[in-house]
Amino acid sequence: MSSESSPLLNYRLFSVTGELPEGEGPGAQGEESVCSVATPPEQRRRLNTFFGVVVPTVLSMFSIVVFMRIGFVIGHAGFLQALLMLAVAYIIITLTILSVCAISTNGAVQGGGAYFMISRTLGPEFGGSIGLMFYLANVCACGVYILGLVEAILDVFGKISGAPGPAGLHALPQGYWFSLLYATGLLLLCLLVCLVGAEIYSKASFLIFLVVTIVLLTILVSFFAVGPQHFSIAHQDGGNVTYSGSFTGFNESTLRGNLYEQYSRDYTTNSMMSFATVFAILFNGCTGIMAGSNMSGELRDPSVSIPKGTIIAVGYTFFIYLLLFFMVSFTCDRVLLLQDNGFFRRINVWPPFVTIGIYSTSLSASMSSLIGASRILHALAKDQLFGVLTAPAKITSKSGNPWVAVLYTWALVQVTEPPFIRVRRMCDERVSVCVCVYLTLPCRPRPTFRFFSWHTCVLGLVSCFVMMFLINAVYTSASIVLMLLLLVFIHYRAPTSSWGYISQALIFHQVRKYLLLLDVRKEHVKFWRPQILLMVANPRASCQLIKFINDLKKGGLYVLGHVEIGDLDTVPSDPIQPQYNFWLSLVDRLNVKAFVDLTLSQSVRQGAQHLLRITGLGGMKPNTLVLGFYDSCTPDDYFLQDPAFRDGLENDHFGVDNSALQAHFPPVRDREGSKALGPSAYVSLVSDALKMGKNVCLGRYFHLLEKGALFGKGQGQGQGVAIDVWPLNLLRPDSASYVDVCSLFLLQMACILNMVPSWRASRLRIFLCVESGDDGWVGKEAKLRELLGKLRIKATIKIVAWDAVAALHWHNQPRAATPGHADGEAERTLADAPTAASATHLGRVSEEYLDAVNQLVRSQALHTAVSFLYLPRPPADTAQYEKYLEQLDRVTRDLGPSLLIHGLTPVTCTEL
């Protein structure tokens, strides 16, 4: 972040190329850029509002519809329904452009148009799926406009037997392959213009705009200058069919004849028309509002040009459409409108004017769709959302023109399916409205464009949905399903982004709301789950334990805690904050679902107390502390073993590469290396956690846990692998008759691990220690089995005779003093929890007994992946802490991966 003395408006923070001038970067001043936006080079941003937005949007919205389909709409729908269609279409468009304007003024806009704006608002999942669909929409639109242009050319120059006019005028042969040939040639012309660059395209568009404007003026003049005429109209439908149409001039009876609908068969397709099909054709001529937005990478000021230019273009086209609707309804009879889509040529003062206008608008709309689609593809390729499929589209010329993306798009247009365009274009605009709904929420900075609200957003959303399904429910459903599939695909394969999209704000809003509802006073044992704080000294030696606890947590809270030794009074700034990026990158590379909480303290014990008290929020607070075992083993460096931490791999999206990660975390200590925590302080930490009501787990030998080898295909996918549970307090063998709260906690934790999908193939084994002279062991096994049934825990009970081990304990101790052999104690319920069972009497436990216990557990650990052992409470006398730790070390020595657990929380329930 900038220092407090930095200028308030430091424009270098938003550098053009993402790099600061030499000598002015973070390395020179010791500061980091707040926001480096990688915008295109300045020489590419040459277009202003008129040339970059107004002209392409107007031409795209007019396309061929303004010359070839106005009479078609009025002829079938009538003047009144045509006005209704126009009003509905422009209401939907207006609601949509309000959303587009709001999105475009919500931050800096780069290349990619609607895709860029939506992706940076909703994130890569929505942005990528919508971007690809919008790209395909423009591809299909280009195909539609090219085919429309071919239709218009053949309508004038195509061979028709008996057609009026000069003999050489209708010279072009017709047919499917000829139409494809003409379309390919026209598309090649569009390709050549787009390959040169956006500047040539803008000049060509402006020239076409002038031509179209002149043609529209001649049409308007012709309504007044041309007198009434009658026309003979011929169609070739298996034979020659001739119709008689009239241009009456302004006539009230003509208007009355055109007022109401008269749906019939379209002579070009022989399909029966309806309100939906006619509206779809009209709406298709009004949906080019994204043409200007697609040029965002070439606009000087896209946040100003896009809203201003789009609104001007929409207002202009609406006025022209409305004026032409009135003129045509007053002057042309129904037959002329229904039987000649190109009737404007017949009534114009100079018929070639209209032909030139038709060709110009169609060609311009084709170029607009081609160049707009190429910009979207280029933006998708730069964001690497679709991997190698779109990677070459990142290539640009020296002037910044994405020529490879243009070639990609040109090739796709050759095989496009035009019917897809009608519904798809509306679906993308519906999503733009949906984005605007999110922008109305108070959890994000509002855009500078103020003329919108959630009412307009929801109304536009509903309107688009209704119109989409009204036009074609099949295509609509298919496009929505495809978009959802793309969303899921990108969600699982897209790299992490730092775009600051709105989902983070929405997640924050929802999490805060549900955390408030998660009332700790309503906690119940039926819904208990482990919420774990794992203290990590150096992740280089703890990665296997971190991964194992990630499995053990199941759906609970998981926090990695670390204490940095230091005093805030002696340092100029907090040394903790810069470390979070490294720890979060560690979490990403290990692929664990964990939070990170770091603290600065003068001792590890004090820091751990801080984390136990303040980590989490509301009902999401750790209830279990996990520590690595305190021993003198030389740890392995996991960073040197895992390919995810090796040098040469790409850095993440937050600027942390492997070399930086290796340099941040210190090397593992050797055997002689000093520890930041002494043995007494370590046991004190365990005691502190128990005093604070936290469950405690100590993990040992987890660097030996090779999960891939245990559950790999070569091992029968985990068949025979066991999870062992020893619910007996091995330092108090006289408690063998009891299953207390701690023992039940062990059972629950082992059961949770066994429920994890990757551990489900393992077997859960519970060891019941008995003496051969104890006649009640059969009853104990039955009661334990009954308890497991009530707790719905599937496990195998293993009876272990430990006479020799128990004899070492009872040596020199009176048998009558043991609770397990007192009259009536053997019949006590296994679920009873005597408080004395967890007490530790260190003086009564010999080293021989501990070694014998260790040998007993090791002898049963055949194919054991993890052993769950009972962790007794630390002694009340702090002077015995080191001896307590030595005894734990003897019991667990060379056992393999082991978890010593002391549970204080009741976690099992037999009630529904």
Side-chain angles (χ1 to χ4, degrees), residues 129-200:
S129 58
I130 295 167
L132 182 61
M133 298 295 282
F134 195 62
Y135 169 73
L136 295 176
N138 278 273
V139 168
C140 293
C142 184
V144 167
Y145 296 139
I146 288 291
L147 293 177
L149 178 55
V150 171
E151 177 189 338
I153 292 174
L154 294 178
D155 195 42
V156 176
F157 300 104
K159 283 185 178 180
I160 302 178
S161 59
L169 185 63
H170 298 276
L172 292 178
Q174 299 194 52
Y176 174 79
W177 292 109
F178 283 107
S179 297
L180 183 61
L181 177 64
Y182 304 146
T184 301
L186 293 170
L187 185 59
L188 184 61
L189 176 62
C190 297
L191 172 66
L192 294 176
V193 173
C194 294
L195 282 177
V196 175
E199 192 171 358
I200 297 299

Side-chain angles (χ1 to χ4, degrees), residues 43 65 106 120 146 238 255 275 299 343 369 374-375 382 394 453 480 497 516 603 631 657 711 721 733 816 825:
Q43 60 266 26
V65 174
N106 201 57
R120 267 50 177 185
I146 288 291
L255 176 63
F275 182 93
L299 297 174
F343 74 95
S369 296
S374 67
R375 269 47 182 180
K382 288 198 300 181
K394 293 188 290 186
S453 68
I480 292 175
S497 65
L516 292 173
S603 70
D631 55 28
D657 57 15
F711 297 98
V721 176
E825 291 293 341

Side-chain angles (χ1 to χ4, degrees), residues 527-545:
F527 312 115
W528 182 91
R529 62 188 61 208
Q531 303 193 72
I532 299 173
L533 171 64
L534 171 62
M535 298 300 299
V536 180
N538 188 348
R540 286 180 178 269
S542 308
C543 288
Q544 291 96 330
L545 180 59

Side-chain angles (χ1 to χ4, degrees), residues 313-640:
V314 169
Y316 174 74
T317 56
F318 177 74
F319 174 75
I320 295 298
Y321 274 125
L322 188 62
L323 189 61
L324 289 176
F325 274 27
F326 274 103
M327 296 292 190
V328 169
S329 300
F330 266 102
T331 58
C332 303
D333 71 356
R334 180 85 68 169
V335 176
L336 180 63
L337 300 179
L338 288 175
Q339 303 304 326
D340 187 3
N341 291 336
F343 74 95
F344 277 141
R345 285 193 302 268
R346 296 181 183 272
I347 67 173
N348 198 268
V349 291
W350 190 51
F353 260 138
V354 177
T355 302
I356 294 172
I358 292 172
Y359 299 165
S360 299
T361 53
S362 300
L363 190 63
S364 173
S366 302
M367 289 190 299
S368 175
S369 296
L370 183 62
I371 198 169
S374 67
R375 269 47 182 180
I376 296 172
L377 180 61
H378 178 61
L380 285 167
K382 288 198 300 181
D383 290 337
Q384 301 178 358
L385 297 183
F386 296 97
V388 295
L389 290 176
T390 58
K394 293 188 290 186
I395 300 174
T396 62
S397 63
K398 292 182 179 179
S399 62
N401 184 35
W403 62 273
V404 175
V406 174
L407 290 176
Y408 262 50
T409 308
W410 168 79
L412 278 178
V413 174
Q414 293 285 351
V415 295
T416 188
E417 290 292 336
F420 181 66
I421 182 60
R422 294 180 183 172
V423 176
R424 185 60 253 159
R425 290 288 290 270
M426 290 176 25
C427 187
D428 290 306
E429 292 167 5
R430 171 185 58 79
V431 176
S432 296
V433 179
C434 184
V435 172
C436 198
V437 174
Y438 288 112
L439 290 174
T440 62
L441 298 177
C443 55
R444 182 173 174 86
R446 291 178 64 87
T448 57
F449 186 83
R450 299 295 186 184
F451 300 100
F452 78 102
S453 68
W454 69 269
H455 304 86
T456 61
C457 301
V458 173
L459 184 59
L461 179 66
V462 173
S463 301
C464 282
F465 257 122
V466 171
M467 289 301 104
M468 285 163 53
F469 281 97
L470 180 64
I471 291 173
N472 195 312
V474 175
Y475 282 125
T476 298
S477 303
S479 63
I480 292 175
V481 169
L482 178 58
M483 188 168 62
L484 292 176
L485 292 176
L486 286 171
L487 189 149
V488 174
F489 170 76
I490 297 174
H491 174 75
Y492 283 104
R493 78 154 307 278
T496 305
S497 65
S498 56
W499 297 342
Y501 39 95
I502 201 169
S503 63
Q504 295 297 306
L506 294 177
I507 290 171
F508 177 87
H509 179 267
Q510 292 301 110
V511 168
R512 182 193 64 84
K513 181 174 71 174
Y514 287 116
L515 275 175
L516 292 173
L517 295 176
L518 194 61
D519 194 338
V520 295
R521 297 169 295 182
K522 301 177 183 178
E523 288 181 352
H524 194 278
V525 65
K526 289 193 296 184
F527 312 115
W528 182 91
R529 62 188 61 208
Q531 303 193 72
I532 299 173
L533 171 64
L534 171 62
M535 298 300 299
V536 180
N538 188 348
R540 286 180 178 269
S542 308
C543 288
Q544 291 96 330
L545 180 59
I546 293 173
K547 288 186 172 182
F548 174 76
I549 299 301
N550 183 65
D551 290 338
L552 188 63
K553 77 169 191 324
K554 205 171 184 296
L557 177 69
Y558 184 23
V559 182
L560 300 182
H562 174 73
V563 179
E564 189 76 15
I565 304 298
D567 188 353
L568 196 60
D569 292 336
T570 62
V571 291
S573 62
D574 185 8
I576 296 299
Q577 296 305 320
Q579 298 188 28
Y580 272 97
N581 264 5
F582 296 99
W583 283 86
L584 293 173
S585 295
L586 171 74
V587 168
D588 292 338
R589 282 169 168 79
L590 291 175
N591 194 28
V592 297
K593 297 178 180 179
F595 299 95
V596 174
D597 208 350
L598 313 178
T599 188
L600 182 71
S601 181
Q602 296 181 359
S603 70
V604 174
R605 180 184 178 187
Q606 187 182 61
Q609 290 177 4
H610 294 166
L611 293 176
L612 282 172
R613 292 187 187 278
I614 65 175
T615 296
L617 191 63
M620 297 287 287
K621 295 183 72 69
N623 55 31
T624 303
L625 174 68
V626 179
L627 302 171
F629 196 81
Y630 192 95
D631 55 28
S632 58
C633 295
T634 302
D636 296 328
D637 192 339
Y638 187 82
F639 283 13
L640 301 179

